[in-house]
């Protein structure tokens, strides 16, 4: 367990340094987008409704594959200041 924690902390430190290299500093708004897929529209709508009840916004779009199959693509952006 200690090795796992040490590895995770080292990974986080590396990521934070990369953000700093790109000019993202503590206190900046940082947007992370989460993406979800489903083949059933009612499941997509239920998921979005649940997210909206907790204060998140979500965008649903339809994608077609092989001309007859379709699935729903849900994007949830989360924007907030970050700190080290």
């Amino acid at each position: 367990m200690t090795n796992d924690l040490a590895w995770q902390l080292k990974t986080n430190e590396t990521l934070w340094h990369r953000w700093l290299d790109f000019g993202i500093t503590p206190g900046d708004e940082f947007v992370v987008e989460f993406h979800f897929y489903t083949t059933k529209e009612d499941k997509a709508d239920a998921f979005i409704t649940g997210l909206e009840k907790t204060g998140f916004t979500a965008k649903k779009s339809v994608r077609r594959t092989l001309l007859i199959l379709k699935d729903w693509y849900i994007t949830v952006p989360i924007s907030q200041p970050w700190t080290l």
Side-chain angles (χ1 to χ4, degrees):
M1 176 99 131
T2 305
N3 288 338
D4 290 341
L5 179 58
W7 177 84
Q8 186 64 52
L9 290 173
K10 184 64 180 165
T11 301
N12 288 347
E13 182 182 8
T14 301
L15 179 61
W16 292 331
H17 284 292
R18 293 298 296 150
W19 288 348
L20 291 170
D21 290 343
F22 286 108
I24 299 170
T25 59
D28 286 348
E29 284 284 316
F30 193 67
V31 179
V32 176
E33 283 190 347
F34 293 91
H35 301 276
F36 303 91
Y37 304 90
T38 183
T39 57
K40 304 211 181 289
E41 187 174 18
D42 61 331
K43 300 288 184 191
D45 292 337
F47 183 57
I48 290 170
T49 299
L51 287 168
E52 288 172 345
K53 285 180 182 176
T54 58
F56 292 102
T57 59
K59 183 180 127 192
K60 177 180 76 172
S61 56
V62 68
R63 297 182 324 155
R64 287 204 177 269
T65 55
L66 300 175
L67 298 174
I68 56 170
L69 301 176
K70 67 176 157 169
D71 61 1
W72 284 264
Y73 181 74
I74 302 163
T75 303
V76 183
I78 298 174
S79 176
Q80 60 187 40
W82 72 280
T83 63
L84 296 176

